[in-house]
Every structure is written in C-alpha cells, then in structure tokens.
Amino acid sequence: MDIDKSLMDSEVPRLDGLAELTPTFSVSVLLCHPDANPKGAFHSLVKFIRTALDWRGRAESVRCLGEVVLAESDRIEGIGSLLELGIDGLYASARERRTMPSWSGEHQQVFDVANQLTVVVRRGPFVVIHTPVSDEALRKWLQRFNKLYRYLPSAILRRTFQGDGKTVWLRGVHRRRATKADSKTLGGLRIQEVLDDEDSSFALSAAAIDYVPMDESAVVRGRLTVTPAKSRLYWKFRLDLPTFLAAATETVALIEKSLAVEPPEEQFWQLAVPETDLANVYGAYDVTIAEPDELPDPADPDGDLTERAELLRNSFLEVHGDPKSPAFTAIVGCEGAGVGSLSIKPVARGDGFELEVRFAGTPSNDAMARRIRDAIGDGELLRIYYESGHTFDEYQVNLQNQTAPPFANLEFADFGAHRVNQEKPPVRGDQAIHDAIGLVNDYSLFAWVKTTYTTGWLVCDDGAGEVADFLHLVDGTLTAIHVKGAQSTSSTRSVAVTAYQEVVAQAVKNLRLLDNPALVERFTTPRIARPAAWLDGTRQTDLSGFVTALGARTTLNKTKVVIVQPHLLRPVHDAARKAAEQGKPTRDSRSLALLDGLLRSARRTVISYWDDLTVIGSE
C-alpha cells in the first residue's frame, strides 16, 4: 500500500473498514492553483486538515480515532483501487469531540460526545472535502497559502446544477430601510417563477434545487443545496462510500466541463448582479454585522465566529466613505467611546473579494482596537453599503439588478374577423348584451371569448358590480376573464400602457370576489334574469349546473385570471423587445418596459391571492 508516511501519526491507529462508512454528501469543492502541483497541494491540504482536527476550540477534548491516506495505486478493500474509481488520492479520518452541554453545571461532569468523519478526495486538480473543519478555518488556510487552492467561481456553482428552485436564501444589497427585509428565505414549487423585479435588490446566498442531470445514469440527482460563496454542495442523502466517491467524481466532471465551456444561463436571473470591477464601487456609507444564522450553513462548531460577531455587535463602526473609491475609514469603539480608526478596503481574491483592514493612525486603546480589527477579519461578518448601489457581503460585491425582466405570461391570439376595438355586442342594456353574445352578427371580443372557451362552463357576468366579464370553469379550474377593446385597429399601432391600465385595475380590484363560497352565493341568485352561459359550447337557460360545479371545487383547484386586450401586436412587441435587447431604445421599447412593469405588478398581486395571471395580445 503506497501511503505517504509523513502524513501519518504513529500514535493514531489506522482507519479500517472504509467500505462500511456512510458519509453525507456535504462537501466543499476546491480547484488547485494553475501554478501548483496537484499532488503536492493535496499533501499540504491533508496536513492542514489533520492539524485543524486537533484544534480543541470550545470542546473539552478531541482525539483522532483513526486515519488513512491512500494514493492512486492503493486499493480500498471491498470497493476497488483508486485508479479504477477515477481517484488520484484519498484521506479519511474519524475523531471524537467531547463538549460540555450548555445546560450542565460547572461541577457536573456530563459531556456530549460527537464522532466526526473527514473524507478528502482528489481527482486531478480538484479536491472534494467532507469535514467538520469550519468554512472559516478552511478559508483562512486558503488565504494564507493562496497559491495552492481556491474556491470555484461562484457563477459555475450557480449555473452548473440546473433544476426547479425549491428554496433560496437571499441577502439584500439595497439601502437598509424599515420597509424592506435585509434578508429573506423563499420556498415553493419553482422559485424561478416566484422571483420578480422586487427581488432584484437581493443576492443569492444559497439555493436548494431539484437537480435534473442530463445523464440518466448519473448518481447525483434530486434535492441539492448549492452555496456558491463557500464553494459548497449538500446532497441530503447519506451514502455508502462507493456512492459517495462516485458522486464526488461525477461532480468534479460536471464542474470541469462547465469551466471548459460556457455554462448555462443564470437560473435566478432576477436577482442582484455580481460585480467584478471594483472601479465601479464607491462611497461606503454604512456597515452592518451579518447574523450567522442568516445563512443555511451552521456556525462554526468551536464558536469563534459567534464570539467575533457578538463583539462587533457590541461595538460601533462609524463609516467615512470615499466618493471615488470602495475604500473607507471606520472610527471604531465600544460603550460610546472611540478606540481608534481603521482603513478598510475590499481587494480581489480569486473569484470574490476580501477586506484588507489596517490601522489608520495610532489607536487610543490599542488592545480594544486590535480586538475589533481581528473580529472584522477579512470581512465574513460585515455587510458594507455603497452610494454606487453596491453591497459587500459574503465575500461578494453585488449591484441591484436594474434590468427589469419581461412580463412572463404574455400570449398572442388570432382574433380573426372579430373587431379588436369592440368589447361587447353593440346593443344597450345588460340583458340585451347577454342575449346578443355569439349571435351571427356579433363580431365583438365577447363573441371571441365564447368561441374560444368551448369546454366546460362559460358564464358571462358583465354588468354593474361584475366579478369579471366571464368566468370559465373546467375540471375544477376557474378562470376569471376580463376583456377590453384595443384603442386602435391599425396594423402598426404602437405600444400603449394606457390601453391596459383600466382593465388591469379592474382585474386586481375584483380578486377578493373570486372566493368560491361567495361565488356560489352570487350565482345561486343571478343579477339578471337570463345570464349568458354555455356548457361545452351549448347555450344554457339557467346556472344551477354551474353553481353545483362551483360548490364541488376544493382548495386544491386552481383559480386564474386572464386579461384579453388585443391592443399589443406581436410584431410591434417583438421589434420593441429586440431594440431593448440590442441597447437601441425606441418609443415602443420604452413603452413596453412600462407595460412590463404594470403587468408584473398586477401578477404579483394576483398570485398573492390565486394562481396566476395571463395577458392575451393580438397576433
């Protein structure tokens, strides 16, 4: 067996039975520096991890229960050779950590005992690390020996693993204010559909996605949590060692491919934009201390991060920014008294940024000033706000996303011979309008609705106090349809926000009226004698069947809103969208941006009550 003796402690027993281990796939992925030798870098990394595992921190004691280092030519009994597994090196160890529980008295010798596993896998220039060594300790080692390993580019982790977002942890990059959260967590069926332009001032800390690999035989699939700033992946399953190693090599192969070619587009493109050039950042004006529990990862087990955060929260940092630079001076102190000044500036480190903190002059209280400086460290606990609109935190600098996304649910229909500027039949009185819908000489938009929605129930509610112009009910799904005529019949009519304002306002105002028990009561006794109604396209004389179908609905059934307003033409829309994408704004592209904003705002309100909003324009 080809073991590097310099990495072994003669007093520590060999860790046998590797094939029986079942680690969780909670790992950090590092990439070897281009100038470093991968084998030598792995040797240095293992030496650091062995040393870090001996740190006691707040524990009463720690001790190594066993360890092993394997090279490419070695075999794992019961699994196979590292060469066959596609692995170039492996380190594994187990340690016992004894801590005194917080509830025990000073003289009670009661201990919590945790047995912790470390597995480090090398494949080419990559290492995959599963260890109780804290993220903070690992980052500090990477800083000190920055020519050995580095974190993966955050964009690679954000984009490589594609799937429906299930949970996202977000941090604000906007100016702090009482009316907006500093951070938030969102969960749902597909978070990509939940995020909107209001989330453009939040940056991604981590995301749990339902990862769907391209390769049907891939090991890693399903719920996967990605933390880009920490180069971390968490797959919720506890695995046997062969599966763990397969997952590690598979992950490395995916990342290697993403680094070699352009990765897919951002999954959560609505969020804040990562800044890469500090020349765009200026005017620091405020600093806050991040709460360790804001992130999905637990705080460091030895408590150093928690102690530093508590010290900083009990201190003050008065920021004096530079209008032309991201650097700033902070007057620091505690209990109302200043103890010195610090010169702080973000500097590029690999894919992200860290803070460089120095004394600005001689402190009045050297010991306290040094404690505050050391607590700031390289910035993992600080959130810095800039007049340029940027925010530094989690080793990233982000800018609020000012690129408003298009309205997601815009569709276009062919209205044929129907008159796009005529909302309802040209007759007077509620009953007359209901009677005339869909007759031979009716070319109104109401007639188009009647000829389009031909399955299930379609009921017209047009008139004073209406819920909507029409209600469509099929297989339990209820759709409220609001109709408005175009302002012009011209085949080149321009984008017009005003054409949509009234019908959008009406649709939003009537959302509460779509409550199912209220609808049952409303249509049990119709407002007019003979409301227009159809079942599977056939005109009905009463609404008793519709009321029965409404009463059979449950909370599992969907409720949607549709706005029919054919003023927006697809060719005009497409030309305006193209002009905006090419950075050559026109009158129509500017109006379309305003219309997008109006419709996105309406959709946010709709989905706060019901399922979704769709808007129909004209082909």
Side-chain angles (χ1 to χ4, degrees):
M1 190 169 288
D2 183 12
I3 300 175
D4 188 338
K5 300 295 185 182
S6 67
L7 293 177
M8 301 295 292
D9 187 334
S10 59
E11 297 181 0
V12 175
R14 173 183 167 77
L15 183 64
D16 291 318
L18 292 182
E20 305 303 319
L21 299 178
T22 57
T24 301
F25 196 73
S26 176
V27 299
S28 297
V29 184
L30 305 181
L31 176 60
C32 188
H33 192 280
D35 297 333
N37 176 275
K39 186 174 181 180
F42 180 69
H43 183 282
S44 299
L45 174 62
V46 170
K47 287 182 67 176
F48 156 70
I49 288 180
R50 288 195 72 258
T51 303
L53 289 171
D54 286 337
W55 296 344
R56 198 178 76 176
R58 290 188 172 183
E60 292 296 314
S61 65
V62 293
R63 70 184 181 98
C64 187
L65 302 176
E67 65 179 355
V68 66
V69 183
L70 302 179
E72 185 180 16
S73 59
D74 293 323
R75 295 183 60 83
I76 302 175
E77 187 176 347
I79 298 178
S81 71
L82 267 61
L83 183 63
E84 294 169 341
L85 296 170
I87 295 171
D88 299 313
L90 182 143
Y91 169 77
S93 68
R95 77 164 179 176
E96 177 189 87
R97 184 173 183 269
R98 294 163 60 88
T99 57
M100 185 174 291
S102 59
W103 51 262
S104 66
E106 182 178 349
H107 302 293
Q108 292 183 3
Q109 294 300 306
V110 179
F111 298 99
D112 288 333
V113 180
N115 292 291
Q116 300 171 323
L117 177 67
T118 291
V119 180
V120 185
V121 179
R122 180 173 82 86
R123 177 183 167 95
F126 295 90
V127 288
V128 178
I129 307 169
H130 170 80
T131 182
V133 174
S134 69
D135 291 315
E136 182 192 15
L138 180 59
R139 179 177 286 276
K140 285 183 176 180
W141 181 80
L142 292 173
Q143 291 170 346
R144 184 178 177 188
F145 300 98
N146 57 20
K147 297 295 185 181
L148 293 178
Y149 286 103
R150 57 190 181 186
Y151 285 137
L152 297 173
S154 60
I156 295 298
L157 282 180
R158 291 197 308 270
R159 299 180 182 187
T160 297
F161 301 94
Q162 298 278 316
D164 290 343
K166 296 301 181 181
T167 308
V168 290
W169 292 264
L170 306 176
R171 61 192 192 279
V173 303
H174 48 267
R175 174 181 59 82
R176 296 191 78 201
R177 54 185 184 269
T179 55
K180 195 164 189 177
D182 288 341
S183 61
K184 62 181 179 179
T185 302
L186 299 174
L189 294 176
R190 179 173 164 81
I191 296 300
Q192 289 93 328
E193 303 298 327
V194 175
L195 296 172
D196 54 41
D197 50 320
E198 284 193 353
D199 297 307
S200 64
S201 67
F202 288 89
L204 181 72
S205 288
I209 62 172
D210 270 355
Y211 170 55
V212 181
M214 298 292 290
D215 184 355
E216 293 184 359
S217 63
V219 173
V220 181
R221 60 179 61 247
R223 191 64 50 87
L224 187 69
T225 300
V226 181
T227 309
K230 295 185 177 181
S231 206
R232 287 188 62 82
L233 293 169
Y234 168 65
W235 191 32
K236 65 179 182 178
F237 299 106
R238 186 170 296 279
L239 312 171
D240 57 33
L241 191 65
T243 307
F244 178 93
L245 297 177
T249 57
E250 184 179 286
T251 297
V252 166
L254 284 170
I255 292 170
E256 199 167 25
K257 182 178 179 180
S258 291
L259 287 167
V261 299
E262 184 68 23
E265 293 297 317
E266 294 278 2
Q267 296 189 89
F268 307 106
W269 49 269
Q270 303 95 327
L271 299 177
V273 180
E275 180 62 77
T276 58
D277 188 356
L278 287 176
N280 299 323
V281 184
Y282 59 84
Y285 67 87
D286 198 4
V287 169
T288 61
I289 310 304
E291 299 286 346
D293 60 359
E294 287 181 346
L295 304 178
D297 299 77
D300 58 315
D302 293 326
D304 179 60
L305 196 68
T306 302
E307 288 181 354
R308 289 167 51 208
E310 290 175 357
L311 173 63
L312 291 175
R313 280 193 290 272
N314 292 323
S315 306
F316 68 80
L317 288 82
E318 183 181 301
V319 175
H320 296 269
D322 183 334
K324 297 182 179 180
S325 166
F328 63 96
T329 299
I331 299 174
V332 299
C334 60
E335 297 180 353
V339 298
S341 296
L342 299 175
S343 175
I344 303 175
K345 68 175 182 179
V347 294
R349 290 282 192 272
D351 181 57
F353 302 93
E354 296 169 358
L355 294 186
E356 184 178 276
V357 185
R358 303 177 184 273
F359 284 119
T362 304
S364 58
N365 184 331
D366 185 78
M368 191 63 205
R370 288 183 183 277
R371 286 188 64 198
I372 295 175
R373 182 200 63 182
D374 293 345
I376 292 173
D378 57 11
E380 65 266 50
L381 290 169
L382 260 62
R383 183 175 291 165
I384 305 168
Y385 299 89
Y386 288 90
E387 292 178 9
S388 58
H390 294 83
T391 299
F392 167 91
D393 74 328
E394 293 191 15
Y395 301 104
Q396 302 290 317
V397 176
N398 289 280
L399 177 66
Q400 182 168 336
N401 190 346
Q402 300 293 347
T403 304
F407 174 67
N409 291 1
L410 183 61
E411 298 179 1
F412 295 94
D414 182 358
F415 288 89
H418 295 91
R419 296 167 185 160
V420 296
N421 64 333
Q422 184 182 324
E423 180 180 328
K424 50 185 92 171
V427 294
R428 302 173 72 88
D430 288 350
Q431 187 62 68
I433 290 172
H434 281 246
D435 291 342
I437 297 172
L439 296 182
V440 174
N441 61 346
D442 181 19
Y443 298 100
S444 69
L445 293 175
F446 276 23
W448 178 85
V449 172
K450 182 261 177 184
T451 59
T452 301
Y453 293 85
T454 56
T455 59
W457 278 95
L458 180 67
V459 175
C460 180
D461 192 39
D462 177 68
E466 66 188 31
V467 172
D469 291 309
F470 291 88
L471 292 175
H472 179 233
L473 179 59
V474 59
D475 297 330
T477 296
L478 179 71
T479 303
I481 304 170
H482 298 266
V483 182
K484 188 69 175 177
Q487 292 180 343
S488 167
T489 59
S490 170
S491 60
T492 59
R493 56 185 178 270
S494 297
V495 180
V497 179
T498 54
Y500 289 82
Q501 288 175 321
E502 182 181 347
V503 66
V504 166
Q506 181 73 21
V508 169
K509 185 184 72 171
N510 288 4
L511 290 174
R512 292 181 182 272
L513 301 180
L514 299 177
D515 177 68
N516 207 67
L519 289 176
V520 170
E521 181 178 354
R522 178 186 183 88
F523 287 99
T524 298
T525 307
R527 291 181 301 108
I528 62 176
R530 299 183 307 279
W534 298 264
L535 176 60
D536 294 330
T538 302
R539 190 108 184 196
Q540 303 296 300
T541 57
D542 69 81
L543 300 183
S544 58
F546 176 64
V547 171
T548 299
L550 279 176
R553 298 180 74 227
T554 71
T555 55
L556 296 178
N557 295 126
K558 294 183 177 181
T559 300
K560 302 179 179 180
V561 178
V562 168
I563 292 175
V564 179
Q565 168 48 290
H567 186 90
L568 184 63
L569 289 162
R570 183 194 284 272
V572 176
H573 164 274
D574 292 350
R577 191 74 73 202
K578 183 176 181 181
E581 291 171 352
Q582 294 177 341
K584 300 176 181 178
T586 63
R587 178 208 171 277
D588 277 336
S589 71
R590 293 186 179 95
S591 294
L592 184 59
L594 293 175
L595 180 58
D596 281 333
L598 174 70
L599 299 182
R600 286 194 309 270
S601 177
R603 183 174 182 242
R604 286 195 299 272
T605 305
V606 169
I607 62 179
S608 68
Y609 288 94
W610 309 114
D611 289 279
D612 215 338
L613 167 68
T614 299
V615 176
I616 299 176
S618 182
E619 288 283 3

